[in-house]
Amino acid sequence: MWGTLGTLACLTAAAFATTAPAQAAPASAPVSVQAAAAEPPSVWPKPAKIVHVPNAAAITCESGNLCVAAYDATKGDYVVYYLYYCTTYELSNFVGTGSYRNQQTGGATARFYGQSGNLLTSVPAGGSSNAYNWNPVWSIRNC
């Protein structure tokens, strides 16, 4: 039995030893920008409505929603997420400039959070931005 485990341990160690280290990103572009080109922006949990628009400033937002737009390098346009249900939404590949519109009812304030959970900004109902830097935002609580 020990012979089999020893052989398995040696093969596992050899596999790890021969695995090449991950390449560093070129200094010419930030890693976050490179990742955005490879993967589209996304939100979890997935909202019920998602649309693509050519310009982030041109988004419309239906009553009852917090709408956030981020550039989708895989399609060459902006993807708009309609955040309707009261929850915390995790963002992925939201980099660069986009926009938001808070059309929630009942005076709901949306809150944007950074990587460590720190509050970055609060957006009252009726608040909007035609240019917003998504780089520091990791999650949004829409209510």
Side-chain angles (χ1 to χ4, degrees):
M1 176 172 160
W2 286 108
T4 303
L5 287 177
T7 302
L8 181 59
C10 288
L11 290 173
T12 303
F16 283 113
T18 59
T19 303
Q23 284 187 308
S28 60
V31 174
S32 60
V33 173
Q34 293 172 359
E39 296 289 330
S42 62
V43 172
W44 181 258
K46 186 176 179 181
K49 184 174 180 181
I50 303 169
V51 298
H52 285 263
V53 297
N55 183 334
I59 70 170
T60 58
C61 188
E62 298 160 2
S63 179
N65 290 278
L66 168 68
C67 299
V68 295
Y71 186 70
D72 182 351
T74 65
K75 295 193 184 236
D77 62 10
Y78 286 83
V79 60
V80 182
Y81 296 93
Y82 291 75
L83 310 180
Y84 177 80
Y85 295 104
C86 178
T87 193
T88 298
Y89 293 89
E90 302 296 325
L91 308 181
S92 178
N93 295 315
F94 268 62
V95 296
T97 303
S99 65
Y100 62 81
R101 306 270 184 282
N102 188 353
Q103 296 298 329
Q104 296 181 99
T105 57
T109 297
R111 291 172 178 80
F112 298 1
Y113 296 96
Q115 181 178 11
S116 64
N118 55 310
L119 178 64
L120 299 172
T121 193
S122 296
V123 180
S128 66
S129 171
N130 286 334
Y132 189 76
N133 177 14
W134 289 117
N135 290 346
V137 182
W138 285 60
S139 65
I140 295 174
R141 176 118 181 123
N142 66 322
C143 54

